[in-house]
Amino acid sequence: MRLEISDSIKYSIFWRSLGIAIFLIIWEVASIAVSSNLILPGPLLVLKTLLEMCQKIPFWLSVGGSFLRVLEAFLLSVVLGILTGTLSGMLPRFRNTLSPIMTGIRATPVLALILLAMFWFPSSQVPVFSAVLMAFPIMHTGAEIGVQATDVKLLQMSKLFSVPWKTVLWKLRIPSAMPHLLSGAKNALGISWKVIVAGEVLSQPRFALGTGMQEARLSLETPSVFAWALMTIALCGLTEYLFGTLMRRHFRPLPRSANQSLATRSVS
Amino acid sequence: MSYAVHDLTKSFGSLQVLERIDFSFQESSIIAILGPSGCGKTTILNLVSGIIPPDSGALDGFSGKHYSYCFQEPRLLDWLTVEENMRYALASRLSVESTRSMTLSRIDRFLREAGLADFASYLPRELSGGMQKRLSLARAFASPSDILLLDEAFSAVDLKQRMDLMRTFLGLWSDEKPTTIIVTHDIHDALYLAHTIIVLSQRPSRVVSSIAIDIPHEERVFSSRSMARYEMELYRLLGFNRQE
C-alpha cells in the first residue's frame, strides 16, 4: 500500500515537473522569437534578476510589507466571513437581507474597488480594504454552506440522546463545516494575494511588491517586472501550501488513531 | 407500569400514514411493530419519541420518559472512533462528575458485550456494516433510558450477521430489560425477539392484530412447530397465503 502511495506521488511530481518544463520551454522559445528583453525577457534572465533582487534589503522589506497586508486582509476576511456566513446559514431572514449586498460586492470589479478605496484610505490600507471586500464573500459562502452541511439525521440523533449543545458544536457542527471553511479560506488566501498586489500597483504604498513592480514598469525594466511577479506567485503558492498543511494537521476530521494505514486495519 | 397508544393519526400533507392506531404494552417487554414497507412504522417511533407531533390521538405513560434510539442506518459520526461515538451520545452524563465513572464503565461494558472492545479506536468506516449496526445497538443500550426504540435495526445485513445482531441484542437486553419497541418488516425478526407483535395494515395503517408470543427466547427455534403456528398466523394477517 505504502509503495502504491509513493508511486502515485512520484507520478504526480513527474507530471507537474513536465508541465513546468513545457511552460519554460515555450517561454524561452517565445523570448528568442521576440528577441527583445524589453518585451519578453527569457526565463534565465528573469531568474538572474530575481536572484540579484534577493540580495537587497528593500526587496525583503517589500516582501514583508505585502505579506503583512495579505495576512491582515485574510484574517479580517476569515473573521468577518465566518461571522456573517454562520448567521446566514442559521437565519434565513439575515441571509435574505444580506443577499443583495453580497451580490453587489461580488459583482463589483476589483479595479473599481481599488480606485474608490484610494479616495477613502491611506495608500497602505487601500490594498487591504480591496482584498477584504474580494475575499470576504468567498469566506462568507464557505461558512454559510458549512453551517448547513451538518447532517440533519445526526442532529436528530444528538437531540434524542440529549447531547449538550457544546458537544454538538465541537464534535458535530464544526467538523461538518470544516471542509467548506477550509476550502473557502484557501481560496480567500489566494485572492488576497492577487488583490493586494494589484492594489499596491495602483496605490503605491511603501514596502510593497506591487510598488516594486510598478516602479520597475515605469523604468522599463521588464525583467524586474517579471521577477516581482514571479516572487508574488511563489509567495502565494507557498502560503497556500503552508496553510493547507497546517490545516490538515490541526483540523483533519480524523482522530489520531486513523493516521495508521487504513488498509491494514479495515475489517470486512 | 404500562404504556398505551390511543387513536394515533398522522398525515403528511394529503398523504394519510396512520389511521387511529391503538395498542398497549407492559414495561420491560419487547414489542415488535410489524407491517409492510412504507406503512408508517418509523412514523410511530417518531411520534412515540416526540420527534414529530401526532395530528390526533394520545400517548399514555410516555410523558417525561427518556428514550434511546437505534436508527435504521447507524447514524455514526464518521470522524470519531467507536469509543468516541459512544462518548458523544453519553456526553451529558460524562459531563457530570457524579455519573462520569459509571458512564465510562457502561461504555466499556456495552462495547465488550457487543464484541467491539478490540475496535474501540477504529473509525466507523473501518468497520463492516454488521459491526456498525452492533455499535449503534451498543450506543442505544449504553445510554440509560426508559424506552429503547429500534428501527429496522437488523435489516440490510446478511443472514449470519442478522442472527449475530439479534443474539447481541438479546444478550444486551437481558441485562437490564429495558422496555423496547422494535419496528420491522421481517416476520422472523419479530418472532425471534418480541413478546408482543403488533401487525399493521397497508397505508393508511391500522392495527390488524396484536399477538402475544408466549415462548421463552431460548426456546424460539424457527423450524419448531410452535413457532410455525405463529409464523402462519402472521403471514395470514399480512395478507399472504401459503403458496406465496
Side-chain angles (χ1 to χ4, degrees), chain A residues 105-163:
Chain A
I105 295 173
R106 281 196 189 97
T108 309
V110 63
L111 270 174
L113 265 179
I114 296 168
L115 292 173
L116 283 172
M118 285 168 75
F119 289 117
W120 304 330
F121 297 99
S123 64
S124 63
Q125 288 305 301
V126 168
V128 176
F129 172 78
S130 313
V132 168
L133 280 192
M134 295 308 287
F136 145 71
I138 298 170
M139 204 56 226
H140 167 90
T141 306
E144 187 182 310
I145 296 170
V147 167
Q148 294 166 340
T150 311
D151 188 344
V152 176
K153 289 182 173 179
L154 291 178
L155 287 172
Q156 211 174 55
M157 179 273 290
S158 307
K159 193 179 170 194
L160 257 159
F161 283 102
S162 306
V163 181

Side-chain angles (χ1 to χ4, degrees), chain A residues 183-201:
Chain A
S183 165
K186 200 177 172 191
N187 289 333
L189 185 60
I191 205 91
S192 293
W193 270 107
K194 290 187 187 82
V195 180
I196 288 284
V197 174
E200 287 170 350
V201 167

Side-chain angles (χ1 to χ4, degrees), chain A residues 156 158 171 253 257 265 267, chain B residues 73 75 79 88 121-122 126:
Chain A
Q156 211 174 55
S158 307
K171 301 280 183 184
S257 56
R265 303 179 61 199
V267 178
Chain B
E73 66 286 2
R75 296 198 191 185
W79 48 91
Y88 177 82
S121 65
Y122 279 52
E126 297 176 275

